[in-house]
Amino acid sequence: EVQLVESGGGLVQPGGSLRLSCAASGFSFSIYWMSWVRQAPGKGLEWVATIKPDGSEKYYVDSVKGRFTISRDNAMNSLSLQMNSLRAEDTAIYYCARDGRFVVTPSCWGQGTLVTVSS
Amino acid sequence: DIQMTQSPSSLSASVGDRVTITCRASQDISKNLAWVQKKPGKAPKSLIYAASTLQSGVPSKFSGSGSGTDFTLTISSLQPEDFATYYCQQHNTYPRTFGGGTKVEIK
């Protein structure tokens, strides 16, 4: 069974940093594209970032470029999102998602972790 | 960036109804369109990719169609567990973009 378990969310002040992690199990992690998608309170879904299976390609939404970094450790079956210079508008539930092997869009999702940016 | 526009933004329907949601892309995305179901407090669930291909385990009451800029999601017979918000997402280019969502409510 595919499992994606996010951790690392919490309350952080504006300008602060947070690192989200996603522990993957039940599939061959190293051959799948992986993504982060977020949902702000009362808002719709927003794609944040995607990483290629070998980590050689990374894509970001403009609003987080230069502040967020997506990475992965295929030996540990783990996906991460380093978030720096956090802003109030980054407040959201962050979902880890497994994309397809060849069609790069989410097929499985974690339960999410809440990030709140507030003073 | 490609803009995705869904209509309607909400709808009321009864159990057993056939429901259709539309999604329009601001430019040609071929068949690179996915549909995602979201319920409050729950993880999103992917339903369809490549416009019409069901994700594994998704019941056949869900169907998708379209290509280019115009797409539809159809639920053939609405059941209580289908009341949710549905989002389209283009997977043609980066940045990936979602539509604003269509909330399907009980009439």
Side-chain angles (χ1 to χ4, degrees):
Chain A
E1 179 193 3
V2 173
Q3 282 202 321
L4 299 167
V5 180
E6 302 93 336
S7 60
L11 174 63
V12 60
Q13 292 187 338
S17 298
L18 214 52
R19 186 177 182 87
L20 305 184
S21 296
C22 172
S25 61
F27 65 100
S28 297
F29 181 77
S30 64
I31 64 173
Y32 284 88
W33 292 72
M34 298 293 296
S35 293
W36 289 97
V37 175
R38 66 185 179 184
Q39 185 173 35
K43 303 294 186 182
L45 297 173
E46 180 183 37
W47 170 82
V48 175
T50 293
I51 186 168
K52 195 176 179 179
D54 64 0
S56 63
E57 294 178 28
K58 303 175 184 181
Y59 302 92
Y60 300 92
V61 67
D62 281 353
S63 60
V64 309
K65 280 181 184 176
R67 301 188 299 123
F68 290 13
T69 302
I70 188 172
S71 62
R72 64 192 296 159
D73 183 338
N74 287 342
M76 297 296 291
N77 292 341
S78 177
L79 177 73
S80 296
L81 186 68
Q82 177 67 43
M83 305 186 295
N84 298 329
S85 302
L86 282 160
R87 306 167 180 166
E89 54 265 35
D90 296 316
T91 294
I93 297 174
Y94 285 73
Y95 296 99
C96 166
R98 188 194 80 175
D99 292 345
R101 287 188 62 194
F102 306 111
V103 178
V104 187
T105 190
S107 58
C108 303
W109 303 73
Q111 289 296 316
T113 187
L114 176 63
V115 172
T116 303
V117 184
S118 175
S119 55
Chain B
D1 298 0
I2 298 174
Q3 307 304 313
M4 307 301 295
T5 303
Q6 287 183 235
S7 61
S9 56
S10 66
L11 65 90
S12 295
S14 300
V15 172
D17 282 353
R18 180 183 180 92
V19 168
T20 298
I21 298 168
T22 65
C23 178
R24 175 164 288 176
S26 61
Q27 60 187 266
D28 188 341
I29 59 169
S30 187
K31 295 177 71 70
N32 296 312
L33 192 282
W35 290 97
V36 177
Q37 179 193 67
K38 182 68 172 70
K39 297 179 181 179
K42 300 291 188 181
K45 179 182 180 181
S46 293
L47 301 175
I48 286 169
Y49 66 95
S52 61
T53 303
L54 289 179
Q55 292 280 1
S56 176
V58 173
S60 59
K61 63 180 173 181
F62 293 97
S63 63
S65 65
S67 66
T69 60
D70 294 311
F71 302 86
T72 61
L73 171 70
T74 298
I75 309 171
S76 60
S77 177
L78 205 62
Q79 297 303 305
E81 62 269 20
D82 301 329
F83 292 95
T85 300
Y86 293 84
Y87 295 89
C88 62
Q89 185 218 20
Q90 61 84 14
H91 54 89
N92 189 68
T93 57
Y94 293 100
R96 301 299 200 230
T97 43
F98 285 90
T102 296
K103 187 174 185 179
V104 177
E105 299 175 299
I106 301 173
K107 182 183 285 184

